[in-house]
Amino acid sequence: MKALPDAYRALVIGGSGAIGAAFVQALRDDPRCALCVALHRRSSPLAIDFARPDSIAETAAALTDQGPFQLIINAAGLLHGEGFMPEKRLADLDPAQMLATFSANTVGPAMLLRHFTPLLDGRQRSLMVMLSAKVGSIGDNRLGGWYSYRASKAALNMLVKTAAIELRRSKPGALILALHPGTVSSALSAPFRGAEIGRPAALAVTQMLAALESAEDSGAFLSYDGSTLPW
């Protein structure tokens, strides 16, 4: 069973980043996609800024008339920022860095779940996808390090799983998923040899959309190849 219907409307949050922009392009090129709305922090007519929670609620309310949506993707996230990189040791832990990372990777997406799940189609198959990361897997953690990023993505995964359980009651056709994109050539991966070892964003998005088409279990933590990752 295909996860997406033959005619669908899509919404991409974080549509100005490498992966988000590639999602927007791919969806707008798909003849089945009747509408693709791209949202980001500064340039979109309806801005989403995780540092301003009110912007999330306001934008969701403004999009009600354009819905319902059958595909909502959150491609926004934070690994490093101005003045900080992922921590290698406990001695590197800093409260400000942790708060910034959790704001972008956990609290902001939680507010998306709160305000944007009502925009999901309740009558047919629909998906809300949160880009997560394999390093957020507790079971797969063998190298350590990257404390804030790992923890923020692990927390995001729990939010996805919990929301999926709730949504089964009100929107049984909706799938809430956490999706690992793999290493992609982008600003996020650039300090970690992303240009050398990463895939082009367009290729990564093609792979992820194929994985979503075959998705069946709401609350799953999937890799870009469709395989299920350990929690």
Side-chain angles (χ1 to χ4, degrees):
M1 178 187 293
K2 284 189 174 182
L4 287 171
D6 289 334
Y8 66 91
R9 295 184 176 200
L11 174 63
V12 179
I13 296 119
S16 62
I19 296 177
F23 266 119
V24 172
Q25 187 63 55
L27 294 170
R28 288 178 176 170
D29 289 343
D30 184 352
R32 296 180 303 155
C33 185
L35 172 71
C36 179
V37 178
L39 300 173
H40 38 94
R41 189 171 58 184
R42 294 188 179 91
S43 301
S44 59
L46 297 170
I48 290 262
D49 186 347
F50 289 167
R52 294 192 304 109
D54 287 350
S55 72
I56 301 172
E58 292 165 0
T59 296
L63 287 168
T64 301
D65 291 341
Q66 297 188 53
F69 293 91
Q70 290 76 40
L71 177 62
I72 300 176
I73 298 173
N74 174 41
L78 177 69
L79 173 58
H80 51 84
E82 186 174 347
F84 69 82
M85 297 293 288
E87 313 97 335
K88 295 181 179 180
R89 308 170 300 155
L90 285 168
D92 297 331
L93 290 177
D94 175 76
Q97 177 174 344
M98 294 189 75
L99 286 171
T101 305
F102 271 79
S103 176
N105 296 339
T106 311
V107 180
M111 293 301 99
L112 291 178
L113 287 166
R114 175 183 175 182
H115 295 292
F116 278 77
T117 50
L119 300 183
L120 285 173
D121 196 331
R123 296 169 297 175
Q124 58 182 329
R125 299 276 282 183
S126 58
L127 291 84
M128 186 160 186
V129 181
M130 295 285 173
L131 289 198
S132 185
K134 188 177 180 180
V135 297
S137 166
I138 296 173
D140 187 67
N141 185 356
R142 295 175 178 84
L143 297 176
W146 289 27
Y147 284 88
S148 297
Y149 188 71
R150 285 184 185 275
S152 67
K153 292 295 188 178
L156 172 62
N157 291 347
M158 179 59 84
L159 289 167
V160 166
K161 179 67 173 180
T162 306
I165 293 170
E166 179 178 344
L167 265 289
R168 286 190 193 121
R169 297 189 286 268
S170 59
K171 297 190 177 191
L175 278 69
I176 313 296
L177 301 168
L179 181 61
H180 166 57
T183 302
V184 179
S185 299
S186 67
L188 183 142
S189 66
F192 313 100
R193 298 176 53 235
E196 301 171 45
I197 64 176
R199 294 122 58 230
L203 173 58
V205 163
T206 297
Q207 294 169 329
M208 286 187 280
L209 288 174
L212 294 178
E213 286 283 14
S214 59
E216 296 181 355
D217 298 324
S218 189
F221 180 20
L222 301 178
S223 184
Y224 62 89
D225 62 2
S227 62
T228 300
L229 293 171
W231 296 114

